[in-house]
Amino acid sequence: MFQTLKNRLRIQTDYIDRELYYSTSKDEWESQMPNNNWCLILISNLDNEVLIDEIISKSITNNVGYICGIGQNHVYIHNQADNEYVERDIGESEFPKSKYHIMTVGDEDLDEGIWFGLNLSFNGEVDIDKIHIIDTDCKWEDEIVKLISRFKEGYLPNED
């Protein structure tokens, strides 16, 4: 189900029509980010706000259109992405303005967050054709693959 592309794992699935990638924060995540038309799914349950800030900043620089936070830090991810976007938009950041108005959402539950990120991450300003999951916990790869198979079979979160 995985194919390695430049140290980035591509998840091969016909569940969605978008390219789907997975990496951990231990990987070379910065060089693996798409440059346009994409959604970031950021998983974090650890005390790692500096890393989260870095990932969000780089994703905005790389023209992300949607950011989904998952895990115990989902509220922080959601708020920090909004703050970074606004600071850039009003010129209070050393970084350039975002190319798009970035949509953000968060969910603590892995099943719900992954399902939402794969199925409902749309932005009226950009056609999102790639999704990159960055796992800062460095442990969800197998669970994500299982979830995608379950989604394909019809599983919806909150049905159990």
Side-chain angles (χ1 to χ4, degrees), residues 11 13 15-16 18-25 29 32-34 37-45 51-52 55-56 59-60 64-71 73-74 77-78 81 102-122 128 130-138 140-141 144 147-148 151:
I11 300 174
T13 181
Y15 174 66
I16 58 173
R18 300 167 170 178
E19 294 177 27
L20 180 58
Y21 299 94
Y22 171 88
S23 62
T24 71
S25 56
W29 59 266
Q32 298 170 15
M33 283 185 171
N37 300 69
W38 68 289
C39 168
L40 168 66
I41 298 176
L42 182 54
I43 303 170
S44 178
N45 291 289
L51 176 61
I52 290 169
I55 293 170
I56 289 170
S59 68
I60 293 173
V64 70
Y66 210 109
I67 297 176
C68 298
I70 299 176
N73 293 325
H74 72 94
I77 294 166
H78 178 79
I102 300 165
M103 306 300 294
T104 60
V105 69
D107 197 308
E108 188 167 349
D109 183 74
L110 182 71
D111 290 22
E112 289 179 24
I114 294 292
W115 187 89
F116 188 97
L118 296 179
N119 293 290
L120 298 178
S121 54
F122 296 97
I128 295 173
K130 292 174 273 315
I131 297 174
H132 188 155
I133 301 168
I134 298 179
D135 175 4
T136 67
D137 299 342
C138 303
W140 296 107
E141 178 181 331
I144 290 167
L147 277 173
I148 292 169
F151 295 154

Side-chain angles (χ1 to χ4, degrees), residues 70-117:
I70 299 176
Q72 292 175 357
N73 293 325
H74 72 94
V75 172
Y76 181 82
I77 294 166
H78 178 79
N79 290 338
Q80 185 60 23
D82 287 346
N83 289 339
E84 177 85 14
Y85 170 80
V86 169
E87 286 178 6
R88 289 180 184 215
D89 194 50
I90 63 173
E92 294 291 321
S93 174
E94 63 187 79
F95 299 105
K97 285 187 175 187
S98 172
K99 186 174 181 179
Y100 313 110
H101 180 89
I102 300 165
M103 306 300 294
T104 60
V105 69
D107 197 308
E108 188 167 349
D109 183 74
L110 182 71
D111 290 22
E112 289 179 24
I114 294 292
W115 187 89
F116 188 97

